[in-house]
Amino acid sequence: MKKNKFNNIKGITLAEILIGIVVSSIMMAAMYTSYSVVNNSYSQVTDRAKISRTGRDVVGMLVRDIRMAGFKYFGDNIKTSEEHIPILITKKSATSTAGCCDKLDIVYGSVLYDKTTPPYYTFVRYKVTYLGKPSKIIDKTTSIAGSTKFV
């Protein structure tokens, strides 16, 4: 018997390589799937956070303006008529075609200071108007604008 000098060489067979490739492919597919699920979840959470932050900002502006409604500085010399209403809410009537939505008018006073020329202060009146309008956001489930629901 002739002794073969290549008997002690160890290696990987073709079947083992193919099994390794299949296992690696399954692992990569699982990692990609989990990444896309986490990424979609993250973008939904950030979208809701943006909506919440925007809502808080709008409510903060409304609260500030409503608290200032009707404010007048002592000595304010701006003439006001009997029609002066600090907060006026105008509802859209069912028969009206002008405008689309309700309207909120808030009127308050302030003072501007100028140290260079007398008089050193001037009284001013601000009127802030908030208007609502229908949403143009299209709901993905119903494909209808303005029917979105946030849970």
Side-chain angles (χ1 to χ4, degrees):
M1 263 179 106
K2 214 171 185 194
K3 193 154 188 172
N4 190 353
K5 61 180 179 178
F6 296 110
N7 281 341
N8 292 333
I9 296 177
K10 303 202 187 258
I12 300 174
T13 63
L14 182 59
E16 291 171 336
I17 291 175
L18 290 176
I19 290 172
I21 290 173
V22 168
V23 169
S24 298
S25 299
I26 292 171
M27 288 176 48
M28 293 297 286
M31 288 190 310
Y32 176 75
T33 303
S34 63
Y35 169 76
S36 43
V37 166
V38 169
N39 193 26
N40 288 339
S41 174
Y42 175 76
S43 46
Q44 287 177 355
V45 168
T46 55
D47 289 346
R48 288 186 182 178
K50 287 178 189 176
I51 291 168
S52 177
R53 183 175 51 243
T54 304
R56 279 193 310 270
D57 292 344
V58 168
V59 169
M61 289 183 342
L62 273 168
V63 165
R64 184 193 71 228
D65 290 339
I66 289 172
R67 286 182 178 163
M68 292 291 292
F71 179 77
K72 291 173 71 175
Y73 276 90
F74 180 75
D76 185 346
N77 54 7
I78 299 176
K79 300 291 182 201
T80 58
S81 66
E82 293 297 321
E83 298 173 355
H84 172 74
I85 301 172
I87 297 177
L88 178 63
I89 300 171
T90 308
K91 295 256 187 204
K92 180 188 180 277
S93 65
T95 59
S96 172
T97 58
C100 72
C101 301
D102 299 341
K103 181 169 78 167
L104 173 65
D105 293 322
I106 301 171
V107 178
Y108 59 89
S110 185
V111 65
L112 298 175
Y113 293 101
D114 182 12
K115 295 182 179 181
T116 58
T117 58
Y120 297 112
Y121 55 89
T122 306
F123 295 108
V124 292
R125 189 75 29 93
Y126 294 107
K127 179 179 179 183
V128 181
T129 302
Y130 290 96
L131 296 170
K133 65 179 184 177
S135 175
K136 293 183 180 178
I137 299 173
I138 297 176
D139 189 0
K140 293 178 183 176
T141 58
T142 63
S143 299
I144 299 172
S147 68
T148 57
K149 295 175 188 162
F150 298 104
V151 181

